[in-house]
Amino acid sequence: MMVSLSSKWSLGTMSFLPSSLLILLVVSTTSWCQTKASDGTQFPWNNMRLPEHIIPVHYDLMIHANLTTLTFNGTTAVDVIASQATNAIILHSHHLQISKATLKKGAGETQSEEPLRVLEHPSHEQIALLALKPLVVGLLYTVVIDYAGNLSESFYGFYKSTYKTKEGEVRILASTQFEPTAARMAFPCFDEPAFKASFSIKIRREPRHVAISNMPLMKSVAVAEGLIEDHFDVTVKMSTYLVAFIVSDFKSISKMTKSGVKVSVYAVPDKIDQADYALDAAVTLLEFYEDYFSIPYPLPKQDLAAIPDFQSGAMENWGLTTYRESSLLFDAEKSSASSKLGITMIVSHELAHQWFGNLVTMEWWNDLWLNEGFAKFMEFVSVSVTHPELKVEDYFLGKCFEAMEVDALNSSHPVSTPVENPAQIREMFDEVSYDKGACILNMLRDYLGADAFKSGIVHYLQKYSYKNTKNEDLWNSMASICPTDSTQGMEGFCSRGQHSSSSSHWKQEGLDVKAMMNTWTLQKGFPLITITVRGRNVHMRQEHYMKGSDSTPETGHLWHVPLTFITSKSDSAHRFLLKTKTDVLILPEEVEWIKFNVGMNGYYIVHYEDDGWDSLTSLLKGTHTAISSNDRASLINNAFQLVSIGKLPIEKALDLTLYLKHEMEIMPVFQGLNELVPMYKLMEKRDMNEVETQFKAFLIRLLRGLIDAQTWTDEGSVSERMLRSQLLLFACVRKYQPCVQRAERHFREWKEANGSLRLPSDVTLAVFAVGAQTTEGWDFLYKKYLSSLSSTEKSHIELALCLSQNKEKLQWLLDQSFKGEEIKTQEFPGILTTIGRNPVGYPLAWQFLRENWNKLVQKFALGSSTLAYMVVGTTNQFSTRARLEEVKGFFSSLKENGSQLRCVQQTVETIEENIRWMDKNFDRIRLWLQSEHLELL
């Protein structure tokens, strides 16, 4: 699954990267000890996990959705085998009314059937079907269940979605979202990923609708007047969370891949003309993966469907991937460069899952990262080859910084971590599973060499096809690929050839991938490497980096860190595997500077003692292009991380950023903004106007050269265009007059042409943001929002509306998007958090979250990343003790309806850190801003 919420909303962040926020779906109630069924009878099972002695083999599903009454009924016939004698069959069912259950055994003349008694255990989302006598071990039985339900009003299960035609008619469709635990809301099933089975699906519908599912349509049968039953081909063996079906009036376009797979994109009729880009990308990417993994895609078709109401970014259902419209549809006239990048990455993520996740699936949700970390990592591997012009490899380090932000807190968790109930499972869809997972895989690939890494994952996929895996299965596959005398890959980690002196350190010890990677997946956090240079000797020390105090806590964690470094005398990367707390390496000659973690390929940060930082700052001031743009971005990031734990004074970190006056590349500029903007965002929520104003003025002076150099066009590479879009928005929001005046002129012309004038899509964010500052402009933008068919245009207008300084308008936006009539509820989380960042709006957003908490939990699900995104987005820029007490008080009052969530611990820790940070650094920033070296800017 994939998310593209978080960053699109914060100024100066990676607005183009689908964020780590993976958004998941399901309501759960947790009551642990109740083993009484709902009718008072003793329920025969008291565990959240299903027993393992009844194994499903095949499901026959018949589902009939009524899009007028918004209900559905169905029959599930599941073939099961018992591995031990039992008369209770325990499976999942949630919000379904079961009318009848029978047990069949044998076939033909000898077939017998008996009624089963049904017991329900709602808080575990389970039912027990009781037979009169125990099932015979090893015999095939069929359990047949008739049931009915309401189409869900949330974004998971079998749910209702609507759209308006150009003429204003509201049309209804029904679609599914089952991951992680919502298949049980559409049909009774063994809803755990290790219970893989095959599925034969039949869907009943009216003639005016089209039904699609995981497999191609085999035949359609008229079962009654005005009722058609579609029969779909039988699926391969797969997990329940990957089943999908949609009943709609979508249109589609199709193409074939080289190997004969039919790829189609489905969308509402008014937007099918925006499907071409995704279709071409999907064909290219599917061909790439078949080649890269050396395993043919096993189904005859792959559909990509754009759903008008969708909580996350996308979902990898096997053969029928589903997407938010903005994650799939591309309007050549109006879509932005970041939209093209985002769509390509999301499609590549879902298609990677057809192998990582669908073909080979984690055994349980504790190892979700085996699905998500891999899919996130493969986005970069695939797109860098299929769409080289997008230069995605430049953005990868942004994912690692996002993960570290969360992983530096005490509330973080290991990549692989135990979970049991649905809310805990949903909490796994976070930055650690996705982004940290991807970053440690990237580090391993850099360490082993691309070829050795690739043969390891191909071996893993081939060995475990149609099966389930645990963490160690992956490392064992990786470890089995480095024969002792190999010379694999240019990066040469399995090789025995000659290397620089520093690399011999790991060579003799051999390569224990499992021991190394366990240090990255089984303990939380990441290491801080401290470097001290004494002549030719380089002393290295590792410790656990954790925010919260100036003394690093001794957690006793040690990592096997594959260090890389370049120096003033050598720009090819040297390597050293640090396995102990301290070690020393000897350089061939003394150097002026040394930079560790080349290209930020490692998941660790580095501190340089003595004058190490000074020499790097001088290097940036003199010839910043002596090191790569990713190395420059990582220096900016690391410096401010070190300020947080008291290792580097804030003045030195700020001095380092002064070189940005000469920076032209997107990642260092964005990283500078990512470090500096939050400083004034903290001040905006307190009475600190004078310093806040000076700090904002300093930022504009720092970047003025680059801002002035921007053309108001759509020219240039994707990164140049994304930089332009964000910089102009930043300049206009900061009221930089040359930008504001030009934006006002564009807005006036666009408005006079009634919105029909084509604005360059790279400047619309800035133009709309300025236009929305007047009541008349805001109202005009909202009117255009209602009629727009372009996702990019709508998201740009939405952001602009949220930047208003008018409290009534902001409150109205919160109310409207929450209601979901004119602005879809899927947009609410983004609107809430953008208003939560608005200096006028943040108290409204925080108030709204508190007043509507229970409804938000119902709609977006306890534990979902959407809910976490809203909690963090409305509170994590507070920096006063009064606000801290308010946040703690509210969440602890929620009891089991939210007080235990990890995002609550994260935001409380972040506010405590903000308080500490401001107490320590605010006065120093004030004095630094008055110092004379800023005159030069």
Side-chain angles (χ1 to χ4, degrees), residues 71-138:
T71 56
F72 64 96
N73 56 54
T75 302
T76 295
V78 53
D79 297 342
V80 299
I81 294 175
S83 61
Q84 68 187 54
T86 174
N87 69 338
I89 300 165
I90 314 290
L91 66 164
H92 288 110
S93 173
H94 189 41
H95 295 325
L96 298 174
Q97 297 84 49
I98 290 163
S99 50
K100 185 179 165 196
T102 47
L103 183 68
K104 297 181 176 177
K105 76 165 189 228
E109 309 255 314
T110 58
Q111 186 175 42
S112 65
E113 64 173 77
E114 63 162 290
L116 292 166
R117 183 172 172 212
V118 182
L119 297 180
E120 298 189 345
H121 190 346
S123 64
H124 281 191
E125 304 178 0
Q126 291 170 355
I127 53 171
L129 306 176
L130 305 183
L132 296 169
K133 50 183 187 296
L135 276 64
V136 179
V137 173

Side-chain angles (χ1 to χ4, degrees), residues 271-285:
K271 296 182 183 175
I272 194 64
D273 59 344
Q274 299 180 37
D276 297 304
Y277 179 76
L279 181 61
D280 290 340
V283 168
T284 309
L285 285 158

Side-chain angles (χ1 to χ4, degrees), residues 63-65 203-211 217 220 223 226-230 247-248:
I63 300 213
H64 176 196
I203 303 286
R204 292 187 173 178
R205 58 169 177 89
E206 294 176 48
R208 65 195 172 108
H209 288 129
V210 175
L217 179 67
S220 299
V223 284
L227 190 62
I228 292 168
E229 185 175 85
D230 290 331
V247 180
S248 70

Side-chain angles (χ1 to χ4, degrees), residues 19 23 145 196 266 316 374 445 456 512 534 549 563 623 713 830 834 867 874:
S19 138
I23 295 187
I145 305 169
K196 288 191 170 183
Y266 284 81
E316 68 267 19
F374 256 108
R445 183 170 81 144
D512 188 345
R534 294 273 178 271
S549 71
L563 297 174
T623 46
T713 63
T834 310
L867 205 62
T874 48

